[in-house]
Amino acid sequence: MRAVASVLEEKQIRVDEPMSAHTSFRIGGPADLFLEPRKDQLSPLLAALKEAKVPLMILGNGSNLLVGDKGIRGAVIHIGNSMNQIRVSEDRIEAEAGALLVRVARQAQRAGLSGMESLSGIPGSLGGAIMMNAGAYGGTMADVLASVELLTEEGEIRNYSLEEMDFSYRHSRVRDEGGIVLSAILQLTRGDAGEIDAAMADLTRRRTARQPLEMASAGSAFKRPEGYFAGKLIQDAGLRGYRVGQAQVSEKHCGFVVNLGGASAAEVRQLMEDVRARVKEKFHVDLEPEVRFVGEF
Ligand SMILES: Cc1cc2nc3c(=O)[nH]c(=O)nc-3n(C[C@H](O)[C@H](O)[C@H](O)COP(=O)(O)OP(=O)(O)OC[C@H]3O[C@@H](n4cnc5c(N)ncnc54)[C@H](O)[C@@H]3O)c2cc1C
């Protein structure tokens, strides 16, 4: 605590902060320390935490996480509103990691820049989307990135080109090496603002029709197994609506696990294990979680 107070102001530090308030699942026990640094404070903050041997994790918009019921020991560094600047210049956008993809996509549309349409409905931050190489409707982050600014675990700032980011399905080099995405430059193409708007509206309609957006979830619970769709396998295994406590395989889209209200992380985890076991038994396919499990269960 003392280590952190030498770098951050009091209003940037919260103690025992419930993670359920910061995850789209609305699940998760308290984080010992919940920190909201500015970009210029990150490097000294990492050094101070390292010196004090405090473990840390990075939080974006919390839309791909299942946080354990006992919470997170150590520090959660939230990359959100304190790092969310977006700048458009010609056919490029430079944005900080805490900017929400929805906002980046809207700014692109207003500037008549195409490329973000398919990603516009993903409820993550730019940093989280880069880390996960998020994608939807045929597009991924890797398709629009020119370069990424990263703070390494050693506290060095590095700029990586698209090729150096080592992107593949839901994977980037940040997943392997750690570090914090600070900002990125997106390379877009000139288009018609009206047409881009129409394309975004169409994808939003499709998403709303198929996905249980009205319920708390973390999106697709499992990765797409090679040659299959996770949702279809789960449905064909007879698990539509399957429940453990207040956690449920969505009735609307079997690829989603939803929190009916007050679900615990333990219930979601048990439900996901049951689903994996049933799909394995029936179809001999291994489902791998896309949702990231963090903290103590
Ligand atoms: C309703 C719904 C629909 C969804 N639809 C899609 C979809 O169509 N496609 C898709 O790919 N995903 C989808 N998701 C999942 C999720 O939105 C994405 O994975 C998103 O990219 C996560 O971003 P985030 O900022 O919320 O990350 P978080 O959930 O906060 O974190 C995810 C991981 O990224 C790390 N991280 C976050 N920020 C940074 C940073 N700045 N630097 C380094 N690491 C960081 C975290 O440590 C964590 O390991 C959906 C989720 C929901 C709830």
Side-chain angles (χ1 to χ4, degrees):
M1 179 68 187
R2 207 172 323 127
V4 168
S6 65
V7 181
L8 302 183
E9 295 163 41
E10 218 175 293
K11 63 176 189 208
Q12 297 174 292
I13 306 172
R14 286 185 239 174
V15 177
D16 290 334
E17 176 71 5
M19 289 299 291
S20 53
H22 301 280
T23 58
S24 57
F25 246 141
R26 299 279 162 249
I27 293 174
D32 292 345
L33 288 172
F34 187 87
L35 312 173
E36 302 200 282
R38 295 188 308 269
K39 189 174 169 184
D40 61 294
Q41 295 168 318
L42 267 173
S43 193
L45 178 62
L46 289 195
L49 290 172
K50 198 171 185 177
E51 169 83 21
K53 297 194 169 53
V54 177
L56 67 92
M57 81 151 268
I58 308 302
L59 174 73
N61 202 37
S63 64
N64 203 41
L65 295 178
L66 180 65
V67 178
D69 298 313
K70 295 191 185 126
I72 298 177
R73 301 293 72 79
V76 169
I77 299 183
H78 184 208
I79 308 289
N81 288 344
S82 54
M83 277 179 61
N84 70 357
Q85 296 304 304
I86 302 173
R87 212 175 58 228
V88 181
S89 82
E90 313 231 323
D91 54 0
R92 290 189 155 201
I93 288 187
E94 183 171 358
E96 290 187 324
L100 293 181
L101 276 194
V102 188
R103 273 188 62 226
V104 177
R106 188 48 72 192
Q107 293 244 17
Q109 180 271 326
R110 287 203 190 107
L113 293 176
S114 174
M116 286 297 291
E117 296 88 322
S118 62
L119 304 165
S120 61
I122 300 175
S125 66
L126 179 67
I130 291 172
M131 150 80 169
M132 301 295 298
N133 190 17
Y137 300 108
T140 68
M141 281 311 296
D143 300 331
V144 291
L145 279 170
S147 64
V148 175
E149 184 190 25
L150 192 90
L151 181 67
T152 67
E153 286 181 352
E154 291 70 43
E156 278 171 47
I157 292 184
R158 297 233 177 100
N159 282 286
Y160 290 117
S161 66
L162 173 61
E163 294 70 34
E164 288 170 325
M165 282 300 292
D166 194 19
F167 284 119
S168 57
Y169 178 68
R170 301 293 176 267
H171 173 271
S172 71
R173 77 179 292 160
V174 192
R175 281 198 83 148
D176 297 335
E177 294 174 18
I180 305 176
V181 176
L182 298 176
S183 70
I185 296 176
L186 311 181
Q187 177 66 60
L188 302 168
T189 52
R190 291 241 157 259
D192 176 81
E195 282 173 21
I196 298 166
D197 188 38
M200 281 167 65
D202 176 47
L203 290 174
T204 304
R205 268 193 300 275
R206 282 160 65 178
R207 215 178 245 280
T208 314
R210 286 187 198 155
Q211 301 182 358
L213 301 184
E214 63 288 357
M215 303 187 86
S217 81
S220 298
F222 298 99
K223 290 184 185 174
R224 196 180 58 229
E226 192 86 39
Y228 300 92
F229 288 101
K232 178 84 170 63
L233 290 171
I234 296 166
Q235 179 184 316
D236 293 348
L239 291 167
R240 181 185 295 279
Y242 174 71
R243 269 175 81 164
V244 174
Q246 290 297 92
Q248 184 183 42
V249 171
S250 165
E251 301 265 7
K252 194 167 174 183
H253 186 316
C254 293
F256 280 54
V257 173
V258 293
N259 175 1
L260 296 173
S264 64
E267 287 170 349
V268 172
R269 189 169 69 167
Q270 185 60 54
L271 179 132
M272 287 179 66
E273 277 170 15
D274 293 353
V275 167
R276 284 180 80 174
R278 183 84 80 85
V279 166
K280 174 84 176 164
E281 181 191 304
K282 246 191 134 175
F283 303 112
H284 311 288
V285 177
D286 281 312
L287 289 181
E288 206 188 310
E290 174 162 328
V291 171
R292 307 207 81 193
F293 291 61
V294 295
E296 294 181 358
F297 278 73

